[in-house]
Amino acid sequence: MTEPTFAALVSRWYTENARDLPWRAPGVSPWAVLVSEVMLQQTPVARVLPAYEAWLARWPVPAALAEASPAEAIRMWGRLGYPRRAVRLWECAVAIVERHGGEVPDRLEQLLALPGVGTYTARAVAAFAYGQRHPVVDTNVRRVVCRAVAGQPDAGPATRPADLVATEALLPEDPAAAALASAAFMELGAVVCTARSPLCHRCPVETICAWRASGQEAPAGPTRRPQRYAGTDRQVRGLLLGVLREATGPVPRQRLDAVWTDDVQRARALDGLVRDGLVEPVDADSYRLVGDGPSRPAVPLPALPG
C-alpha cells in the first residue's frame, strides 16, 4: 500500500482539527474571503473576527462598499491597525465593480491587477474562494515546509521564490485537494508548528519531519524583533486618526495639535497620513478623512505587500 503523502497527512489532520472560522464556512463568498485575507495581514484572528463580521454585515458585496466613501471604510476599520488596508479594500471594491461587474475575479492575473492585492492575497483568494491549485505561502506555511522538508528550524523573515516552488511541489495535482492542503499547511503552522513552542507531539507529520529527525532546537527568540509602538510615529498617527475618525466634519489643526506635544513628530505623522491617502487637508488649518466630503482620491495608492 502506498504511504500517504505529506499533503494527505496534513489535510486529514486539518479536516479533523481545523478551527471553526467564518471565512472557512461552506458557501462563503469570494468577497468574504478577500476581506478576511486583507484583515488577517499582520493581525491576530481574535482581533479580526468582530471587525470581519461587522464589515460584511455592512458591506456584504463589493458594490455596497464601492458606493460608500473611503472615509466610511476607515471609520469602520476602527482600531484594527494598519488602516491603509481599509482604503485598499475600498479601492478594490470600486475596481471589482468597474472591471468585473461586481464579482471578485477568479483568474490569478486579474486578482493580481486589483489595487493593493499582492502575490499572497491573490493566491489565497484563488485557492480558498475558487478551489484552485496555487502555492499559498505565508509565514506559517514557510515555517512548516522549511522544517518538515528542508530540516531547518526557521525559514527567515521574507518569502522568496524558492518558498513558492517548495510549497507547490507538496500540493496534490487535483485543484480541490491542493486548495485543502494549502489551508491545512497554514493551519498547522498557526496552531502546532509554531515559531518558538512547536507542539511536535500533536503534529501529523512528526515521524517524517526532517527538522524533528535532526534534533535541532527551536529558535530561542523571535525571527523578527518586535516593533516598538509607544512613542513612535505609528502611535502618533493612531492618535491623529482617532480624532479624525470620530469627527463629523473637518477638524481644526489646533485640535490635532493637542494629541501630541512634539511638534516635529506630530507634523511628520500627519504628513505621513496625507501621503498614505488616509487624510486630506480641507484648507490651511483643517483636515478630514480622505473622501469625507464631495471629492474622493483620484491617485491610486501603492500596493501593500502580500
Side-chain angles (χ1 to χ4, degrees):
M1 181 180 293
T2 304
E3 292 294 324
T5 64
F6 180 90
L9 290 169
V10 180
S11 295
R12 185 185 306 160
W13 167 86
Y14 175 81
T15 301
E16 298 172 354
N17 297 279
R19 290 169 292 176
D20 182 15
L21 300 174
W23 45 85
R24 294 174 176 170
V28 69
S29 71
W31 170 244
V33 173
L34 175 57
V35 170
S36 73
E37 289 298 337
V38 172
M39 286 188 169
L40 286 164
Q41 294 170 14
Q42 299 177 289
T43 308
V45 167
R47 290 188 60 201
V48 166
L49 281 170
Y52 167 86
E53 291 170 351
W55 188 280
L56 288 177
R58 182 170 181 180
W59 298 308
V61 295
L65 178 56
E67 286 297 315
S69 69
E72 290 175 86
I74 296 169
R75 286 196 176 95
M76 195 68 181
W77 196 261
R79 298 187 179 278
L80 196 57
Y82 301 99
R84 283 187 300 166
R85 293 178 293 172
V87 180
R88 298 310 191 281
L89 266 176
W90 175 80
E91 288 186 322
C92 213
V94 171
I96 289 169
V97 170
E98 293 177 348
R99 304 175 195 172
H100 306 289
E103 300 294 331
V104 176
D106 60 357
R107 290 166 50 190
L108 184 62
E109 61 269 25
Q110 292 175 329
L111 288 165
L112 285 166
L114 293 175
V117 173
T119 300
Y120 165 80
T121 304
R123 284 173 167 78
V125 173
F128 303 147
Y130 292 111
Q132 297 177 12
R133 186 183 187 276
H134 295 288
V136 183
V137 181
D138 70 350
T139 300
N140 292 317
V141 174
R142 287 192 300 110
R143 185 168 56 251
V144 166
V145 175
C146 184
R147 286 177 175 173
V149 178
Q152 299 298 316
D154 187 78
T159 300
R160 303 164 300 169
D163 296 318
L164 293 171
V165 173
T167 303
E168 185 171 15
L170 297 172
L171 296 178
E173 289 302 319
D174 176 69
L180 176 64
S182 291
F185 295 167
M186 195 172 299
E187 183 78 346
L188 186 66
V191 302
V192 173
C193 191
T194 55
R196 294 184 296 282
S197 301
L199 304 173
C200 294
H201 64 285
R202 290 176 48 190
C203 182
V205 292
E206 179 186 12
T207 59
I208 60 173
C209 175
W211 174 61
R212 183 71 165 163
S214 74
Q216 298 180 65
E217 297 290 332
T223 56
R224 296 184 184 182
R225 181 173 297 177
Q227 293 183 341
R228 182 173 59 90
Y229 181 74
T232 64
D233 284 6
R234 278 187 60 211
Q235 182 185 15
V236 183
R237 283 164 59 102
L239 293 171
L240 292 168
L241 205 57
V243 172
L244 291 158
R245 193 168 49 233
E246 294 172 6
T248 57
V251 176
R253 183 152 197 156
Q254 184 178 9
R255 185 176 170 194
L256 295 174
D257 289 346
V259 307
W260 198 255
T261 57
D262 187 325
D263 294 344
V264 173
Q265 187 178 25
R266 187 181 62 250
R268 183 171 66 239
L270 184 57
D271 287 345
L273 290 171
V274 173
R275 286 197 308 273
D276 287 345
L278 295 167
V279 173
E280 59 188 7
V282 178
D283 51 42
D285 296 309
S286 62
Y287 293 80
R288 67 185 179 192
L289 293 180
V290 68
D292 202 13
S295 62
R296 290 183 177 182
V299 180
L301 300 173
L304 290 172

